[in-house]
Amino acid sequence: MKYYAAPLEGITGYIYRNAHHKFYPGVDKYFTPFLSPKIKRGMNTKEQKDIAPVNNQGIPLVPQILTNQPDGFLQVAQILGELGYREINFNLGCPSGTVVSKGRGCGFLKDHDALRRFFEEIMDGLDKRGMQSMKISVKTRLGINDPDEILTLMEIFNDYPFSELIIHARLLKDYYKGPVKLEAFREAAAICRHPLCYNGDLFTPEDMKEFRKEFPDIGMVMMGRGLIADPQLCELCQTSDGEAALRDYDRMFLFLQEISDRYAEAFSGEKHVLFKLKELWSYMHVLFPDQPKVWKKIKKANSLMEYHRAIQTINPGGQTPDGV
Ligand SMILES: Cc1cc2nc3c(=O)[nH]c(=O)nc-3n(C[C@H](O)[C@H](O)[C@H](O)COP(=O)(O)O)c2cc1C
């Protein structure tokens, strides 16, 4: 089984990825949060920093592009190729209102003719630029409103030489909520001509076991919120077949310290660092369901010192010192 770390805009930037790769090195591929090509400028400074090879040394990284403009795609693809990237992922899954209203991300799934034209133009453009060897993978949802849409979409995806197809088994209208639609994913898998990767709601090693039982032929999974909540998730999934995997809290605290230190170096001002750490903990607090006071203290922290004090009250696998 191959394990991919999903992109989460605002969370899985290069600082997070470096720390994760250093402390939990089993992930097969990381994907950048989407790069949104700008006319003439290509990428903005934040995006350039996020994909700069110097900031991603040794990390198996796939940059992701979100656009509906072939020219913008090709311009950024060229830059990425020159930087040494050999795969680019194309985003057809983003459900955000501002993205969808511009016919991008999941909004692009509405217009099948335009989607075909876009694929024709980027494949043609890559050829003309001598970039035939650049792999293009796609990350999509099942459709907009109806899970059957994926069957028509698969006809389109099957017509182009994508290196992988990643399906988040939800519709645009589901956003990130409600049960994943496994039967629609199964139907897509049955007709898919590309290596297929599953994405959606894999939160625990037990979820992973269940998925493998249901889909023994699927060789790749992508984990998003589950991996943010539990940075060891991929490792626990990889070892849960054999020797009992041990949860390693010491490593988790070192990982968190590393992230905090690197954010403090990168951002001027404690508030920004604190905001990023709280965002991370809005996922990670589920690891300590019997210690709700810790998460409350983290949320209330007004300084990094208060944040670190709150973290120190965590008693892994047990009660907090103040008896909660
Ligand atoms: C805050 C947030 C930001 C996200 N940003 C991106 C993104 O930039 N690109 C993308 O393809 N998906 C993005 N996603 C979707 C995730 O990559 C993933 O497909 C989704 O969370 C479902 O997987 P999960 O159930 O394992 O979390 C984002 C999701 C969230 C919650």
Side-chain angles (χ1 to χ4, degrees):
M1 181 64 80
K2 283 204 159 76
Y3 293 92
Y4 295 168
L8 272 81
E9 157 64 12
I11 300 174
T12 63
Y14 74 94
I15 290 183
Y16 183 90
R17 292 194 300 268
N18 274 279
H20 192 270
H21 183 62
K22 175 172 171 185
F23 288 95
Y24 304 98
V27 170
D28 291 288
K29 279 183 196 173
Y30 292 83
F31 291 71
T32 68
F34 62 76
L35 310 164
S36 186
K38 319 285 174 301
I39 300 161
K40 290 194 184 145
R41 276 192 306 147
M43 285 174 278
N44 66 27
T45 313
K46 183 174 164 238
E47 291 172 338
Q48 286 174 24
K49 214 168 168 183
D50 198 46
I51 50 104
V54 65
N55 289 331
N56 293 284
Q57 283 175 22
I59 299 177
L61 182 63
V62 178
Q64 183 189 68
I65 298 181
L66 175 130
T67 186
N68 56 8
Q69 300 299 314
D71 288 351
F73 182 98
L74 290 165
Q75 191 189 3
V76 171
Q78 175 125 24
I79 299 169
L80 294 171
E82 284 162 8
L83 290 174
Y85 290 100
R86 293 289 165 259
E87 178 183 342
I88 293 170
N89 183 257
F90 181 56
N91 181 320
L92 284 174
C94 181
S96 141
T98 48
V99 167
V100 169
S101 65
K102 292 180 189 132
R104 299 181 194 153
C106 204
F108 207 174
L109 297 181
K110 267 185 202 146
D111 189 342
H112 295 179
D113 290 341
L115 198 55
R116 276 191 184 276
R117 276 198 305 276
F118 177 86
F119 289 147
E120 297 290 341
E121 284 189 45
I122 63 164
M123 292 303 170
D124 196 41
L126 289 171
D127 276 359
K128 284 191 180 128
R129 286 170 162 77
M131 293 176 68
Q132 297 88 341
S133 62
M134 178 64 89
K135 292 180 187 165
I136 305 294
S137 57
V138 169
K139 181 166 180 277
T140 185
R141 290 192 179 222
L142 296 166
I144 311 272
N145 287 309
D146 183 333
D148 282 349
E149 287 169 42
I150 191 62
L151 300 177
T152 322
L153 288 167
M154 288 308 302
E155 285 175 24
I156 302 176
F157 297 142
N158 278 342
D159 279 347
Y160 299 92
F162 299 125
S163 58
E164 285 174 5
L165 181 69
I166 302 161
I167 299 184
H168 176 193
R170 283 198 172 84
L171 297 163
L172 167 62
K173 69 169 184 186
D174 299 329
Y175 218 69
Y176 293 103
K177 297 205 187 87
V180 281
K181 295 175 165 59
L182 292 182
E183 286 321 303
F185 176 78
R186 195 187 298 282
E187 286 179 36
I191 53 174
C192 183
R193 294 204 189 122
H194 306 297
L196 181 63
C197 173
Y198 171 84
N199 171 232
D201 286 13
L202 296 173
F203 294 118
T204 63
E206 289 68 37
D207 291 343
M208 192 57 225
K209 263 193 197 151
E210 196 56 35
F211 177 80
R212 289 180 92 149
K213 223 167 39 185
E214 281 289 313
F215 294 95
D217 298 332
I218 300 294
M220 292 175 275
V221 291
M222 173 181 264
M223 293 164 159
R225 293 162 297 173
L227 188 62
I228 303 297
D230 179 357
Q232 205 183 344
L233 178 61
C234 174
E235 184 182 302
L236 294 178
C237 289
Q238 283 163 332
T239 50
S240 61
D241 289 341
E243 69 223 66
L246 281 181
R247 177 165 294 292
D248 185 345
Y249 288 103
D250 290 343
R251 187 157 35 123
M252 194 189 84
F253 289 119
L254 291 172
F255 164 70
L256 283 165
Q257 186 63 47
E258 171 97 4
I259 291 182
S260 171
D261 291 346
R262 296 290 89 79
Y263 278 153
E265 280 168 15
F267 305 136
S268 58
E270 197 168 304
K271 288 278 176 254
H272 197 169
V273 181
L274 201 54
F275 175 82
K276 299 293 272 184
L277 293 169
K278 286 183 185 183
E279 197 175 18
L280 196 51
W281 272 96
S282 70
Y283 294 87
M284 290 187 73
H285 73 95
V286 298
L287 273 188
F288 306 98
D290 54 349
Q291 301 175 50
K293 266 201 180 170
V294 173
W295 172 221
K296 268 192 200 148
K297 280 184 190 155
I298 292 172
K299 273 193 283 191
K300 275 197 196 153
N302 275 318
S303 65
L304 280 178
M305 209 208 283
E306 281 177 27
Y307 163 81
H308 286 296
R309 259 197 226 126
I311 301 290
Q312 279 158 16
T313 64
I314 295 175
N315 183 9
Q319 303 279 298
T320 47
D322 51 5
V324 180

